Amino acid sequence: MPSGAAAGMEPEPEPEQPKAAAGGAHRKHLALLERLSKRSSSSAAAGGASSDSTGASPVEAFLTRFAAAKLAAESALSACRASSPEGDAGASLAAAAAAVDDLDRLVAESSHALPPYELRSALAAAADLRAAHRAAASEIRPKKSFSFRNKSRAPPRDPAAAPPPQPPPPEQPKPSIDAALPGCGFRGRNGATLVKDLRASNDKDGDFTLADLVSCEVYLKGKCRALYVHKLRDCRVFVGAVLGSVLIEDVEGCTFAIAAHQIRIHEARATDFYLRVRSRPIIEDCSGVSFAPHALKYDGIDEDLKESGLEEETGNWANVDDFKWLRAVQSPNWRLVPEVERLQTVDISEIHEREDDR
């Protein structure tokens, strides 16, 4: 084209470069993740005031709140380790448990909006703090008081007439792990039918624990804030609605029907889970576990699910993350229950509160 014509015309836009644009977007995303993951607690506190005014993204807002909650939990655990068994150890343990619960609840409430990297990091940090709390609870126990012996000299005795040495006193057992789990609940039962209506209980909307149960049937109606399950064998567990997270550890040959915002499962074997869950279920060190949609009914369950923010079926029961399986192919540790093998909806409306041994 002649130069005069070119001078009188607007320059044509340069052709788009999709590869360069895509690469730039990818680098920008990686830079955002790196910046957020390396944010210190002090910068998170300073950024909290600016996030609201500058319109920060939901991920940045979550990380700011998470850093503050994590710092509070770590401080509570430090105070717990510094306390003495004879002093305020019980109060320190309770305060630390509440701080870790707050952290769990924050992750559960935000899990459906977080990218996988942030969710995994937050879950790992919360799990580490929960384990640290249990370790602190198992270490705090009364110590034998020290006393000075009478050092007054006595006449030597005949070794033959000396009494035989006394055996050392038996060591006091450390508290079991399930004893350190928070909240009310059912513990140490065998062959029992355990029913609790949380709607008519003083423990309404609190934490609930199931620990050391063998061949039991458990029915929980209503809502609880968090559910902790530890060491169950051959049990059937039906739970209405959990406002926050569910932590299940060391179960075998069980069936669970639960609705919750977040469910984490560790060391489960040959167990079926019928779930309604806002975020993806997470398993770790599990084998032979199966998943299916929620299958529980009782009078008032629709209201409980709605008040807990669980009225919508997300389909996440089928989107399981296996943290110990990083390959692209399907994990061999879990499967979906075929429709022909699934439980029919279990109606527990007529099951009333009791604790009966069968």
Side-chain angles (χ1 to χ4, degrees):
M1 180 180 293
S3 60
M9 296 179 64
E10 295 289 335
E12 295 184 1
E14 296 183 2
E16 296 183 359
Q17 301 179 5
K19 292 184 179 180
H26 180 64
R27 288 192 298 272
K28 184 182 295 184
H29 178 67
L30 291 179
L32 174 63
L33 291 182
E34 183 178 2
R35 184 172 69 255
L36 294 176
S37 62
K38 292 182 177 180
R39 174 176 297 181
S40 65
S41 59
S42 59
S43 62
S50 61
S51 62
D52 295 334
S53 59
T54 60
S57 70
V59 175
E60 288 180 307
F62 165 78
L63 288 175
T64 299
R65 296 173 59 198
F66 183 83
K70 182 171 179 287
L71 181 61
E74 290 171 342
S75 299
L77 284 170
S78 297
C80 185
R81 296 187 187 98
S83 61
S84 63
E86 295 81 4
D88 56 351
S92 298
L93 281 173
V100 177
D101 288 343
D102 289 342
L103 193 69
D104 272 335
R105 187 161 54 254
L106 174 60
V107 177
E109 291 171 352
S110 308
S111 57
H112 63 284
L114 293 177
Y117 174 81
E118 282 76 11
L119 179 58
R120 286 174 182 261
S121 299
L123 289 173
D128 289 343
L129 288 172
R130 178 69 64 187
H133 174 262
R134 288 184 185 160
S138 65
E139 291 172 1
I140 295 178
R141 55 191 179 97
K143 296 181 173 62
K144 291 189 286 187
S145 59
F146 177 80
S147 61
F148 290 97
R149 292 185 177 181
N150 185 1
K151 295 186 176 181
S152 60
R153 295 185 177 181
R157 295 184 178 181
D158 184 2
Q166 296 294 324
E171 183 180 356
Q172 296 182 2
K174 294 184 179 181
S176 61
I177 292 180
D178 60 274
L181 293 173
C184 64
F186 300 123
R187 295 172 169 86
R189 304 297 295 273
N190 192 328
T193 299
L194 309 171
V195 186
K196 186 78 170 179
D197 192 336
L198 297 172
R199 299 168 296 184
S201 170
N202 293 331
D203 304 311
K204 180 180 180 182
D205 296 346
D207 296 341
F208 205 89
T209 291
L210 304 173
D212 280 326
L213 304 180
V214 179
S215 300
C216 292
E217 292 189 4
V218 181
Y219 304 93
L220 299 182
K221 300 178 184 179
K223 309 185 300 293
C224 62
R225 183 176 64 179
L227 177 66
Y228 303 94
V229 179
H230 176 71
K231 200 172 183 181
L232 269 59
R233 300 291 184 267
D234 301 317
C235 293
R236 289 162 52 92
V237 178
F238 302 92
V239 180
V242 181
L243 297 166
S245 61
V246 177
L247 176 60
I248 299 175
E249 296 181 305
D250 190 10
V251 298
E252 184 172 359
C254 297
T255 298
F256 291 88
I258 301 174
H261 283 256
Q262 178 192 93
I263 296 178
R264 291 176 288 164
I265 305 166
H266 300 268
E267 297 181 354
R269 299 167 295 280
T271 294
D272 295 339
F273 297 92
Y274 291 79
L275 306 180
R276 175 177 293 185
V277 58
R278 286 287 302 274
S279 58
R280 299 164 68 99
I282 294 171
I283 66 173
E284 190 171 7
D285 296 320
C286 296
S287 62
V289 294
S290 304
F291 293 85
H294 194 240
L296 180 63
K297 176 182 177 183
Y298 59 81
D299 295 338
I301 189 174
D302 292 336
E303 181 179 353
D304 290 337
L305 293 174
K306 184 176 181 179
E307 292 178 354
S308 304
L310 296 167
E311 68 275 16
E312 180 183 355
E313 173 54 75
T314 63
N316 276 330
W317 60 269
N319 300 321
V320 180
D321 282 335
D322 186 348
F323 274 18
K324 287 299 181 72
W325 185 261
L326 303 179
R327 302 179 186 177
V329 297
Q330 165 69 32
S331 166
N333 299 318
W334 68 274
R335 64 162 191 152
L336 301 181
V337 180
E339 290 190 22
V340 295
E341 299 178 13
R342 293 176 187 171
L343 284 178
Q344 299 299 316
T345 300
V346 179
D347 191 343
I348 62 174
S349 299
E350 300 303 320
I351 300 178
H352 301 292
E353 186 163 335
R354 67 180 190 271
E355 297 185 30
D356 297 339
D357 293 327
R358 296 198 295 269

